[in-house]
Amino acid sequence: MNKLALVTGATSGIGAAFAERLAADGYNLILVGRRKERLDEFAAAHPEVSVASVVADLATDDGIATVADLAASEPLDLLVNNAGVAHYMPMADLPADKARELLSVKVLAPTLITRAAVGPMQSRGAGAIINVAGMIAFSGPADKSLMPRRATYAGSLAHLVAMSQALSAELDGTGVQVQVLCPGVVATEFHTRQGMDLSAIPRMTAADVVTAGLRGLELGEVVAAPGVEDMSLLEDVFRADLAAFGGQSTELATRYR
């Protein structure tokens, strides 16, 4: 029997690359996106696998509920939370409706869809969840001269990192894997929809990001960073996080007295 994967944001970029790779690997697919014509084109081009197309807007409560219901009811072997939205701007310039859309798509949707999938996966003793974030999640301390101002976007990705790490620890020993996939700059429609021309900047292909994510599952990586050769750099970050967490006291630190 073919394995079953659910991929959100499947109509372009990394989500479309996941759909292509998983179809080639023989998965049956539940593909979620806002553009019905692209979902239909993919299904027509891949008659060799079962493709269920779900038109849903994960910026809405109804869209999230539709996909969460599928995650809870279908016997998923793999869930890929990839849906994204290109609201990449300073917080003061970000309209409230766009901020709400960004947080719904990148925080609320993957959280609730993951929550729906976890219980059934635990009951079956198997399954994997990939939450697609990005290396920008680690860019918080960067000066604005080094990185574009993007507080809301960076914060949403940082949520996915922390949630995935904590959930992986919760699920240790259950047979369910959790990964947060953190690419750098990727050659997709994301930046063109934002009106940004990055054609002169080297970018990773979406297919390579997918390869890293799936190989990262085989390696047991909780944080998969496709473009980072020396993983000790991230391991140092995680050790420093735990050291800071463990270094607290009930006494007020001297510098605050």
Side-chain angles (χ1 to χ4, degrees):
M1 180 177 290
N2 290 20
K3 291 184 177 181
L4 177 63
L6 188 158
V7 181
T8 69
T11 55
S12 65
I14 294 171
F18 262 111
E20 288 287 352
R21 171 62 181 272
L22 294 172
D25 288 350
Y27 278 78
N28 290 328
L29 299 170
I30 302 172
L31 301 183
V32 179
R34 287 186 278 195
R35 286 173 280 190
K36 182 178 185 298
E37 71 282 0
R38 289 196 178 185
L39 294 172
D40 290 344
E41 288 170 5
F42 183 93
H46 296 82
E48 73 280 6
V49 296
S50 171
V51 180
S53 300
V54 180
V55 179
D57 183 353
L58 296 184
T60 67
D61 290 344
D62 286 346
I64 294 172
T66 295
V67 181
D69 286 346
L70 287 169
S73 60
E74 296 290 338
L76 299 181
D77 296 284
L78 176 63
L79 166 63
V80 180
N81 283 309
N82 166 76
V85 59
H87 299 329
Y88 191 84
M89 64 187 75
M91 186 178 285
D93 298 337
L94 182 62
D97 60 333
K98 290 188 175 182
R100 186 174 295 107
E101 181 183 12
L102 172 58
L103 295 175
S104 292
V105 172
K106 291 307 291 182
V107 175
L108 190 60
T111 301
L112 293 181
I113 295 168
T114 295
R115 189 209 68 83
V118 163
M121 285 184 176
Q122 276 187 286
S123 296
R124 293 191 297 272
I129 298 166
I130 297 177
N131 294 315
V132 179
M135 289 303 293
I136 286 173
F138 303 102
S139 70
D143 183 88
K144 67 180 181 182
S145 65
L146 300 176
M147 290 288 297
R149 290 170 288 175
R150 70 280 171 244
T152 309
Y153 184 80
S156 70
L157 300 190
H159 164 82
L160 290 175
V161 172
M163 181 186 78
S164 299
Q165 289 175 308
L167 182 58
S168 178
E170 285 183 18
L171 297 175
D172 184 41
T174 66
V176 181
Q177 287 184 270
V178 181
Q179 177 196 101
V180 59
L181 179 57
C182 297
V185 183
V186 184
T188 70
E189 298 174 22
F190 179 90
H191 297 99
T192 55
R193 289 202 304 268
Q194 186 82 353
M196 301 167 68
D197 181 8
L198 298 186
S199 57
I201 297 175
R203 294 170 290 169
M204 184 173 287
T205 67
D208 278 350
V209 174
V210 172
T211 294
L214 297 177
R215 176 59 177 153
L217 286 178
E218 294 175 358
L219 295 172
E221 291 184 348
V222 178
V223 179
V228 177
E229 184 65 34
D230 183 0
M231 277 300 289
S232 70
L233 295 171
L234 285 174
E235 291 164 2
D236 288 345
V237 171
F238 305 146
R239 280 192 291 268
D241 286 344
L242 290 175
F245 179 77
Q248 61 185 314
S249 168
T250 56
E251 298 296 326
L252 189 64
T254 303
R255 68 184 177 280
Y256 298 129
R257 297 175 190 171

